[in-house]
């Protein structure tokens, strides 16, 4: 019998890569998507077959992390072997503008997932992966950060993630559930949303290269991040739920770069000097900034056999190559319309 997995946030960057991975491994995959007036399934269109086909392995359901009863019904109907909670309002800067909504989706949403899993656990064992974040470390008190580093959250998003982390531990200990936290450091890809700084940079650089854009406006260029490739990181998520016991793991590259360095990689791949095109805009500074995030993935390497495979420079270049093709399509369309 193939395993069954349920993914919240399946239409996001991580959800789409995880769905691909699980389908390759023979899973039946159920995904929860929010109802909206427009389709938001672009990242999974290539793997989504007609649900009425007999060989369909990917099944989508309307739902919302803030609706606990609906979530429980979906879990009890699908009876998954594994649940991956990747759904979130995941933009840190936006969490300052919409703090209550962020806490509801990220914090209470995670609690709803755990409670739904607890109900299913009465019938069969279900393993739960909670997407935790390096943002929880916030104003860090030690570098690099490990699974034992205290949390000092610096945003409504990070505070909500800390709540979700501790609820996951509580359900693991209180109900003897297989519930695991993956503390993932920044992970990017060509599927990253265009409001996130790495994708904002690669999209702008390729458009500048083709004369479609003149300037790129950014905030703090000195912030340091541990950037990896999302496709590598979803494999680590899966490995956590195959482990012999539930635990918490940091996934990171163990290396850090500033936004300036990411600009170097991106514009350098296009033979451009970013200093000519980038301007600082105070609107993009956070009310409280997280200056340095650097993860120690030793535990994941030793216990899971996981390691990041893609360097930050390689990541930037593959994102540029993807976005250059998008810019070329845009330029072609513009020329046809003129």
């Amino acid at each position: 019998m193939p395993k069954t997995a349920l993914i919240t946030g399946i239409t996001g960057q991580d959800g789409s890569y995880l769905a691909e991975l699980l389908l390759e491994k023979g899973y039946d995959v159920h995904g929860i998507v929010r109802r909206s007036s427009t389709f938001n399934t672009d990242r999974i269109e290539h793997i989504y077959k007609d649900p009425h086909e007999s060989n369909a392995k990917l099944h989508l359901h309307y739902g919302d992390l803030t609706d606990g009863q609906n979530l429980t019904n979906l879990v009890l109907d699908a009876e998954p072997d594994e649940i991956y909670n990747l759904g979130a309002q995941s933009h840190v800067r936006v969490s300052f503008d919409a703090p209550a909504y962020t806490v509801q989706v990220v914090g209470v949403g995670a609690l709803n997932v755990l409670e739904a899993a607890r109900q299913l656990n009465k019938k069969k064992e279900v393993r739960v992966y909670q997407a935790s974040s390096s943002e929880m470390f916030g104003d860090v008190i030690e570098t690099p950060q490990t699974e034992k580093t205290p949390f000092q959250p610096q945003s409504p998003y990070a505070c909500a993630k800390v709540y979700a982390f501790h609820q996951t531990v509580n359900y693991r200990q209180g109900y003897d559930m297989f519930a695991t936290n993956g503390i993932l450091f920044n992970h990017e890809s060509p599927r990253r949303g265009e409001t996130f700084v790495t994708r904002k940079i690669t999209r702008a650089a390729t458009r500048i290269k083709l004369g479609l854009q003149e300037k790129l406006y950014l905030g703090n260029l000195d912030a340091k991040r541990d950037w990896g490739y999302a496709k590598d990181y979803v494999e680590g998520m899966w490995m956590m739920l195959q482990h012999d016991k539930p635990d918490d793991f940091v996934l990171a590259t163990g290396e850090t770069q500033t936004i300036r360095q990411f600009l170097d990689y991106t514009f350098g791949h296009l033979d451009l000097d970013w200093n000519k095109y980038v301007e600082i805009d105070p609107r993009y500074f956070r009310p409280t900034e997280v200056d340095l995030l650097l993860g120690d993935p030793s535990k994941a390497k030793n216990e899971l056999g996981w390691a990041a495979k893609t360097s930050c420079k390689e990541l930037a270049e593959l994102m540029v190559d993807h976005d250059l093709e998008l810019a070329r399509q845009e330029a072609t369309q513009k020329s046809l319309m003129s």
Side-chain angles (χ1 to χ4, degrees):
M1 282 286 291
K3 282 186 177 181
T4 299
L6 177 70
I7 304 173
T8 73
I10 194 170
T11 59
Q13 168 188 258
D14 292 5
S16 65
Y17 281 120
L18 179 62
E20 283 179 351
L21 176 72
L22 296 178
L23 289 170
E24 288 169 6
K25 292 183 179 295
Y27 279 65
D28 281 326
V29 177
H30 293 259
I32 297 178
V33 296
R34 282 172 298 172
R35 181 74 178 91
S36 66
S37 58
T38 57
F39 290 111
N40 60 349
T41 55
D42 293 353
R43 295 183 181 97
I44 56 172
E45 287 295 340
H46 63 293
I47 55 175
Y48 184 52
K49 295 182 179 181
D50 184 335
H52 301 295
E53 289 185 21
S54 60
N55 64 342
K57 291 283 190 177
L58 177 59
H59 315 273
L60 299 183
H61 310 273
Y62 286 124
D64 195 298
L65 285 171
T66 62
D67 185 346
Q69 186 58 60
N70 171 257
L71 202 57
T72 296
N73 292 342
L74 287 171
V75 167
L76 293 177
D77 286 345
E79 294 193 354
D81 301 288
E82 299 169 6
I83 298 175
Y84 296 85
N85 183 31
L86 311 183
Q89 187 302 96
S90 58
H91 198 286
V92 176
R93 180 63 189 84
V94 170
S95 77
F96 286 98
D97 300 325
Y101 173 72
T102 300
V103 169
Q104 281 294 317
V105 175
V106 176
V108 178
L111 179 61
N112 288 337
V113 169
L114 290 163
E115 184 57 23
R118 186 177 76 86
Q119 297 300 327
L120 178 59
N121 224 43
K122 296 173 182 178
K123 294 174 59 179
K124 60 174 282 188
E125 184 192 51
V126 56
R127 298 187 170 199
V128 181
Y129 171 85
Q130 168 60 27
S132 292
S133 169
S134 59
E135 288 286 336
M136 299 188 303
F137 295 120
D139 187 14
V140 297
I141 63 172
E142 64 178 11
T143 300
Q145 293 89 53
T146 73
E147 294 79 5
K148 296 182 179 179
T149 302
F151 300 138
Q152 302 253 86
Q154 295 286 289
S155 66
Y157 168 79
C159 290
K161 281 292 187 183
V162 170
Y163 173 88
F165 175 95
H166 286 303
Q167 288 290 9
T168 302
V169 174
N170 286 338
Y171 270 69
R172 179 166 74 218
Q173 296 174 346
Y175 300 113
D176 195 27
M177 286 174 55
F178 195 110
T180 289
N181 284 295
I183 308 173
L184 273 57
F185 280 67
N186 293 66
H187 46 289
E188 319 296 314
S189 77
R191 298 181 192 174
R192 189 59 144 152
E194 294 181 17
T195 58
F196 291 84
V197 67
T198 52
R199 187 79 195 288
K200 183 178 178 180
I201 290 169
T202 59
R203 281 290 279 142
T206 53
R207 296 185 81 250
I208 288 169
K209 179 70 174 180
L210 297 187
L212 298 167
Q213 184 171 331
E214 293 182 358
K215 294 287 184 181
L216 167 60
Y217 297 93
L218 296 172
N220 180 13
L221 302 188
D222 296 314
K224 296 178 180 178
R225 294 291 184 270
D226 184 327
W227 277 306
Y229 184 22
K231 198 169 184 178
D232 295 343
Y233 284 53
V234 298
E235 189 172 2
M237 299 177 189
W238 175 79
M239 293 168 83
M240 288 181 210
L241 293 197
Q242 314 317 307
H243 196 42
D244 55 2
K245 66 180 189 301
D247 205 346
D248 307 318
F249 295 92
V250 164
L251 296 189
T253 68
E255 298 179 357
T256 187
Q257 282 87 17
T258 62
I259 291 174
R260 292 178 190 276
Q261 287 171 302
F262 196 87
L263 286 165
D264 284 339
Y265 297 147
T266 299
F267 281 78
H269 193 49
L270 296 166
D271 296 318
L272 295 174
D273 178 1
W274 64 264
N275 291 284
K276 297 178 180 177
Y277 306 101
V278 174
E279 293 188 7
I280 303 302
D281 187 332
R283 290 179 301 170
Y284 296 116
F285 283 85
R286 300 178 187 176
T288 50
E289 183 60 81
V290 175
D291 294 317
L292 171 61
L293 292 174
L294 173 62
D296 179 357
S298 299
K299 182 178 176 181
K301 183 176 182 180
N302 295 334
E303 295 191 23
L304 303 177
W306 180 88
K309 304 169 187 172
T310 310
S311 72
C312 185
K313 186 173 186 292
E314 291 168 335
L315 170 65
E317 291 175 354
L318 69 87
M319 291 174 68
V320 168
D321 291 342
H322 173 273
D323 285 344
L324 188 57
E325 181 56 35
L326 289 184
R328 286 179 178 137
Q329 292 172 12
E330 183 183 351
T332 300
Q333 191 173 17
K334 191 174 180 180
S335 65
L336 291 174
M337 294 175 66
S338 60

